[in-house]
Amino acid sequence: MPARRPKRRAQPYVPLDVDRLMQGTARVERRATGEWHVQPMSERSSVKDYACPGCGGTVAAGTAHVVVWRADSIFGERAVEERRHWHTGCWRAN
């Protein structure tokens, strides 16, 4: 008689969060000016216009870009309030 395999327990179905996968994960980057949190934003997540501090141009709604704020700030929540939206290319060139 063949050995019985235990039944696999049914796991609840958790749908994949495609937006989060497309957006990417936050990371910390070190620059000459300090440490920075960098969060990629997908086209879908970008719902309003922002001024890019790198070029002074507009990061238009529906444009993939990055959101950047200080990681090494002693001000905690204030640093998050001071986050800025950059064109990805402008941030890389910075």
Side-chain angles (χ1 to χ4, degrees), residues 14 42 44 54-55 60 72 74 91 94:
V14 179
S42 68
R44 247 198 255 179
C55 67
D72 56 357
I74 60 171
W91 174 251
N94 180 26

Side-chain angles (χ1 to χ4, degrees):
M1 193 174 210
R4 280 183 94 182
R5 289 184 140 188
K7 286 188 179 182
R8 209 174 152 154
R9 290 186 186 199
Q11 297 292 325
Y13 175 73
V14 179
L16 246 135
D17 188 352
V18 176
D19 285 333
R20 187 171 179 189
L21 290 173
M22 296 298 290
Q23 190 171 322
T25 58
R27 60 190 181 275
V28 175
E29 292 186 11
R30 287 193 171 99
R31 303 282 172 109
T33 56
E35 290 187 344
W36 299 88
H37 289 287
V38 180
Q39 172 68 54
M41 297 296 291
S42 68
E43 295 90 352
R44 247 198 255 179
S45 299
S46 179
V47 294
K48 34 187 249 198
D49 293 347
Y50 298 97
C52 174
C55 67
T58 300
V59 179
T63 303
H65 63 282
V66 293
V67 180
V68 179
W69 67 96
R70 292 196 69 84
D72 56 357
S73 174
I74 60 171
F75 298 111
E77 286 185 28
R78 184 169 168 214
V80 174
E81 292 171 2
E82 294 176 354
R83 64 187 179 258
R84 297 291 174 255
H85 295 253
W86 291 67
H87 292 111
T88 304
C90 292
W91 174 251
R92 285 186 190 138
N94 180 26

